Amino acid sequence: MAKLSKIIIFATFLIYVFCSLIRAGSLQKVTRGNFIFIYPKGDSLLVEYLLKETDKPLQRVESFFYESLTTPVTILIVKSDRAFRAYFQNKIPEWSQAIAIPRERMIVLKLSNADQIRKGPQILVHEVVHILVYDHLKGAGIPTWLNEGLAEYFSEGNLSLQKKILLADAIVSNKTIDLMAMDTLFRFSTAKARLAYIEAQSAVAFMVEKYGLPKLKQFLDYLARRKILDDAFKLTYHFDFLDFEIQWNEYIYRHYRYLVLLRFEEWIFAFIALLFLMAVLAVYLRNKKKLKKMQDEEDSSDFFEYPDWDESDSDESDEFR
Ligand SMILES: [Zn+2]
């Protein structure tokens, strides 16, 4: 409860800061449907780009949850890492690019370089999914792995090959994180957080692939009715969370562990090893050729130096005996 009131006070403070900045003219505001964008002056093209690229993915997400954003959501675009961290008083992890505060219907999105702008639409969809999940569950609690897994799955779909290889690497080196351990995600290092997001996405993708989207929807409906996680699993899938985690672990072990062979550094190592072998072979062949040539020359010299004269042809030959 204390945490909740802190968030509300903090969000109110942020809104006050934004309003002052809009009045001062350094920020602009535009309303599109249920989105209110607040962005630095002169970045209207960035807003258009975000709207265009998120339109279709958001329609898909809204059709899954059978509901759309009925209460407006404020999206603040921040162009520098310093400003982003300052808004949250440095209380956010270094790897964070966006924050959703569903209760206050607010998303803060950092777009400070070309790579972040490229990923911007996908990250915005991810944050909107958090708000839709919150709306759908009517504020009921949800484990972090499921919340992040839904956001990643609905903003990206199945794991990319690169993510599968990272997961494979964690599987073979025995570094996978328990799904429930992700509740402390905010304290994870960058590498650990990246793996946690991949695992969460993979767990939701597995639920969809094995049991289908309608079952996932039913599962979330049970959570919305304040069922605890184990009960929601049992009522929907007829097994509990532990059984689910075992199934998912077996699935990723079976499907992804071999992908570790596709790691870039493995191929670089193999390539260097191959170059080395080729170099050794080339030196061996060259030496062999040289040796053969020397032997041939030697044989030829023998022929000239020690001709097989017919002894009877010359008397001089006797002198060398
Ligand atoms: Zn998230």
Side-chain angles (χ1 to χ4, degrees), residues 126 130 148 197:
H126 174 114
H130 282 319
E148 295 304 339
Y197 277 95

